[in-house]
């Protein structure tokens, strides 16, 4: 998911000598955006087609022609690191088989499974409240002053958007709706991305569980070397010796797109976290059951320390002032 460390993870995977990056280095943005003519929150971008997507992997094809081993097999692999593919299903109405439906029957997982049934999927998830706070500072939503008070206000407004939608529709319908997605961004914060179980369920309904590796950002940050060995095993890549891990900078402490400490960002207000914990509680409980792992309840609470791959930087943001921090927000 966005703001969970995917950029850093993808970079470390790509440093393995048997991995060939795609032409865009990480995010092709094809399955969730380009194929529908979407870009960010616009529906007016140029639409591209499957041959365009295939062209992003031409570099791999060329290498395969020179590295094929016995019986046509090779140890080389490639990948696509687009976080939006996990959750951005706004284009579902443009899939012909969904025509006339109130809710989608076919989504991105079905399309990918049709093209590449053997694909291996890696999902990186972070405490949803922390993910949202990082995302709030990252998104350029027109605010020149961002602090924990403005975040609290934005969260309240976004939750109301979802509540209003759910009065007449299912959560699934609201999460996948183009207009609701746009309205949430206008409210300055993408609370919908934190419903991990709702999105993961769509992938689990299409792909076998052993084709999906789910991990927590917190564990990745705490022990990237152990996690990378787990990832390489999942991808059937050869395990590297300690000297090779260092040689290819796979275990380097240097992180990709590190935040500049969010320019004075203070810890989230307690009442904001409580509000978000309440918002996501039902979903995290479902996630924990789906994965049979209580760690995905994030019972230990959250933290605002730097996370691997957290690229939250915006040069025009002002640090919070004491005056702003003392404003009392009434949660209605």
């Amino acid at each position: 998911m966005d703001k969970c460390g995917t950029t850093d993870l993808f970079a470390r995977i790509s440093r393995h000598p048997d991995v060939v990056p795609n032409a865009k280095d990480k995010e092709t943005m094809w399955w969730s955006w380009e194929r529908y003519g979407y870009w960010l929150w616009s529906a007016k971008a140029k639409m591209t087609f499957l041959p365009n997507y295939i062209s992003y992997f031409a570099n791999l094809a060329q290498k395969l022609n020179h590295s094929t081993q016995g019986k046509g097999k090779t140890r080389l692999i490639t990948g696509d690191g687009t976080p939006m593919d996990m959750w951005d299903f706004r284009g579902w109405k443009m899939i012909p088989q969904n025509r006339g439906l109130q809710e989608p029957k076919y989504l991105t997982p079905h399309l990918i499974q049709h093209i590449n049934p053997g694909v291996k999927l890696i999902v990186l998830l972070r405490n949803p409240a922390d993910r949202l706070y990082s995302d709030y500072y990252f998104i350029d939503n027109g605010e020149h002053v961002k602090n924990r008070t403005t975040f609290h206000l934005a969260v309240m407004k976004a939750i109301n958007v979802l509540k209003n939608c759910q009065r007449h529709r299912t959560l699934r319908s609201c999460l996948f709706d183009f207009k609701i997605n746009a309205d949430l961004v206008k409210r300055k914060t993408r609370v919908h991305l934190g419903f991990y179980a709702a999105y993961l369920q769509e992938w689990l309904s299409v792909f076998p569980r052993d084709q999906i590796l789910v991990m927590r950002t917190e564990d990745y940050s705490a022990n990237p070397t152990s996690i990378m060995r787990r990832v390489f095993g999942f991808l059937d890549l050869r395990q590297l010796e300690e000297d090779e891990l260092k040689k290819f900078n796979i275990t380097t402490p240097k992180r990709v797109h590190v935040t500049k400490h969010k320019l004075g960002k203070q810890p989230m207000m307690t009442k904001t976290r409580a509000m978000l914990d309440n918002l996501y509680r039902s979903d995290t409980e479902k996630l924990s059951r789906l994965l049979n792992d209580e760690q995905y309840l994030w019972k230990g609470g959250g933290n605002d320390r730097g996370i691997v791959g957290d690229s939250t930087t915006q040069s025009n943001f002002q640090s919070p002032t004491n005056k702003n921090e003392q404003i009392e927000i009434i949660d209605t």
Side-chain angles (χ1 to χ4, degrees):
M1 295 294 287
D2 299 52
K3 309 312 298 170
C4 289
T6 61
T7 298
D8 190 86
L9 176 61
F10 194 87
R12 291 175 194 263
I13 293 173
S14 297
R15 292 172 192 151
H16 191 291
D18 297 337
V19 174
V20 182
N22 63 64
K24 289 194 171 184
D25 292 326
K26 185 200 175 197
E27 302 176 18
T28 70
M29 304 182 187
W30 191 80
W31 291 103
S32 48
W33 286 3
E34 285 191 6
R35 71 181 307 272
Y36 300 113
Y38 292 171
W39 191 258
L40 294 175
W41 305 106
S42 169
K44 300 179 180 179
K46 180 182 178 181
M47 184 183 295
T48 65
F49 303 92
L50 187 59
N52 299 94
Y53 182 68
I54 293 173
S55 72
Y56 300 148
F57 302 95
N59 52 347
L60 173 70
Q62 185 175 14
K63 289 193 175 186
L64 287 178
N65 286 334
H66 296 89
S67 64
T68 300
Q69 300 172 337
K71 296 183 179 180
K73 293 185 177 180
T74 176
R75 68 170 184 260
L76 298 181
I77 69 170
T78 189
D80 183 344
T82 307
M84 294 81 74
D85 291 349
M86 170 71 181
W87 61 269
D88 195 344
F89 301 145
R90 293 175 296 159
W92 69 265
K93 290 185 178 180
M94 297 175 66
I95 299 174
Q97 291 84 351
N98 290 328
R99 190 168 294 133
L101 300 180
Q102 294 299 310
E103 289 194 26
K105 182 177 181 181
Y106 297 98
L107 293 167
T108 301
H110 298 88
L111 306 182
I112 292 179
Q113 198 273 343
H114 181 70
I115 296 296
N116 189 1
V119 67
K120 293 199 172 187
L121 305 160
I122 299 176
V123 179
L124 197 56
L125 303 176
R126 177 182 184 180
N127 179 300
D130 292 330
R131 191 220 67 80
L132 185 65
Y133 201 25
S134 178
D135 194 48
Y136 173 72
Y137 277 81
F138 175 71
I139 292 178
D140 182 6
N141 57 15
E143 288 185 306
H144 295 289
V145 177
K146 291 191 178 188
N147 53 51
R148 60 184 189 170
T149 300
T150 60
F151 176 66
H152 185 87
L153 286 169
V155 167
M156 290 174 59
K157 293 177 181 178
I159 290 177
N160 282 333
V161 170
L162 273 183
K163 284 183 177 179
N164 289 335
C165 179
Q166 286 186 266
R167 287 175 182 172
H168 309 287
R169 299 163 61 180
T170 66
L171 174 63
R172 182 176 186 264
S173 174
C174 294
L175 293 177
F176 303 167
D177 184 86
F178 190 101
K179 184 178 183 300
I180 297 300
N181 275 251
D183 286 348
L184 288 168
V185 173
K186 290 177 182 176
R187 269 64 178 187
K188 315 299 184 185
T189 184
R190 301 189 294 178
V191 297
H192 54 305
L193 270 66
F195 291 91
Y196 301 150
Y199 298 111
L200 184 59
Q201 183 64 60
E202 302 296 334
W203 293 90
L204 289 171
S205 69
V206 175
F207 288 96
R209 182 67 181 86
D210 61 3
Q211 281 183 231
I212 306 177
L213 174 63
V214 184
M215 303 183 296
R216 301 193 320 155
T217 304
E218 292 82 358
D219 301 326
Y220 176 52
S221 298
N223 195 340
T225 299
S226 175
I227 292 297
M228 292 311 302
R229 290 194 180 281
R230 183 180 176 189
V231 168
F232 292 156
F234 173 71
L235 296 175
D236 292 327
L237 287 165
R238 62 186 178 89
Q239 291 292 346
L240 304 177
E241 300 296 332
E242 288 295 330
D243 60 334
E244 291 180 297
L245 291 172
K246 294 179 181 178
K247 174 183 177 181
F248 298 116
N249 288 325
I250 292 172
T251 56
T252 176
K254 184 177 181 180
R255 299 174 292 187
V256 176
H257 297 307
V258 180
T259 175
K260 296 178 180 179
H261 216 265
K262 300 182 178 63
L263 302 176
K265 181 178 80 69
Q266 294 189 350
M268 188 188 314
M269 287 193 287
T270 302
K271 60 184 176 181
T272 313
R273 185 175 293 281
M275 183 164 53
L276 289 171
D277 287 346
N278 183 61
L279 173 69
Y280 294 128
R281 182 171 294 112
S282 178
D283 186 84
T284 54
E285 289 174 351
K286 182 177 181 181
L287 179 68
S288 176
R289 292 193 299 270
L290 278 174
L291 300 175
N292 194 27
D293 190 342
E294 289 192 353
Q295 288 192 97
Y296 290 92
L297 294 171
W298 284 280
K299 286 182 178 179
N303 62 74
D304 296 309
R305 64 185 176 82
I307 295 290
V308 169
D310 185 351
S311 56
T312 307
T313 55
Q314 291 290 347
S315 60
N316 61 339
F317 295 161
Q318 298 178 16
S319 300
T321 63
N322 290 333
K323 180 179 179 180
N324 283 338
E325 296 303 349
Q326 296 303 316
I327 294 176
E328 184 65 23
I329 306 299
I330 305 300
D331 186 2
T332 58

